[in-house]
Amino acid sequence: MGLVPSFLCSIINLFFILITGNSVVMFIKSYRSILSVVFAFVAIFLVSCSTPVEVSVPAYSRTQVEQVARYQEILQGFRDRFPELAVAISKKDWVDVGTFIHGPLGELRQKTGYVIRNIINPAAATQAKEFTDQLFDSLEAIDKAAADNKQAVAVKKYNEAIVAFDKFLELFTKS
């Protein structure tokens, strides 16, 4: 049984030598190199036809996540103190209104500026800047209304300040 395949191979080899002048072994060796080149082209073609998989990049690094959590607490603390300003406005206690705006809320501009420059997604930074500008314009208007003893203006600007600050906080938590 072992003689038949080797006998067949030798007949094929002799036939191939007569036709081409080379042995089957040489043809197989050159055939392997050609075949490997063909497989390489097929692999390149298949890889180039595939679609890339999009990997979502995290919005924040690990240190930024820690900063976001810390600044969310700080900014929420400022927001939680806003009702104190409403009480002072409703009582027409203009000294407390001015003291509150320049005292406890005095750092608010610095903290929101840091958040916009360093933490908020750059695409949302311009919108965040608009919200903080509205917030501080409203606080300045409240301070002026307190100096002019105008409660209606102070109440209106207080409501605008709350809306702007809430929009900023919402944007901050989304980005």
Side-chain angles (χ1 to χ4, degrees), residues 5-151:
S6 63
F7 176 71
L8 241 107
C9 286
S10 58
I11 290 176
I12 292 173
N13 196 14
L14 283 173
F15 181 71
F16 197 73
I17 290 173
L18 290 174
I19 294 174
T20 62
N22 294 327
S23 71
V24 173
V25 176
M26 284 211 48
F27 174 72
I28 291 174
K29 285 182 182 178
S30 65
Y31 181 71
R32 285 183 187 164
S33 63
I34 292 172
L35 189 61
S36 64
V37 170
V38 169
F39 281 142
F41 281 121
V42 168
I44 290 170
F45 176 75
L46 290 176
V47 169
S48 67
C49 289
S50 66
T51 58
V53 176
E54 291 186 30
V55 177
S56 63
V57 178
Y60 296 116
S61 68
R62 179 177 291 211
T63 56
Q64 283 180 319
V65 168
E66 293 169 3
Q67 286 178 336
V68 166
R70 186 176 65 214
Y71 274 90
Q72 277 180 333
E73 286 181 31
I74 292 170
L75 294 174
Q76 191 60 48
F78 284 120
R79 175 61 180 88
D80 293 343
R81 295 204 58 191
F82 261 75
E84 296 175 35
L85 181 60
V87 169
I89 291 170
S90 68
K91 290 181 179 179
K92 294 184 181 181
D93 190 353
W94 305 123
V95 174
D96 280 352
V97 169
T99 303
F100 188 78
I101 289 173
H102 296 286
L105 295 182
E107 289 183 49
L108 185 58
R109 188 181 302 264
Q110 178 187 3
K111 299 296 183 190
T112 56
Y114 178 81
V115 167
I116 291 170
R117 282 188 309 276
N118 299 312
I119 298 176
I120 284 191
N121 184 348
T126 55
Q127 194 174 17
K129 180 79 171 113
E130 289 174 15
F131 292 146
T132 56
D133 288 345
Q134 292 170 3
L135 170 64
F136 295 118
D137 289 345
S138 297
L139 287 175
E140 289 168 8
I142 293 169
D143 196 31
K144 183 169 179 3
D148 296 341
N149 199 14
K150 295 182 179 177
Q151 186 180 22

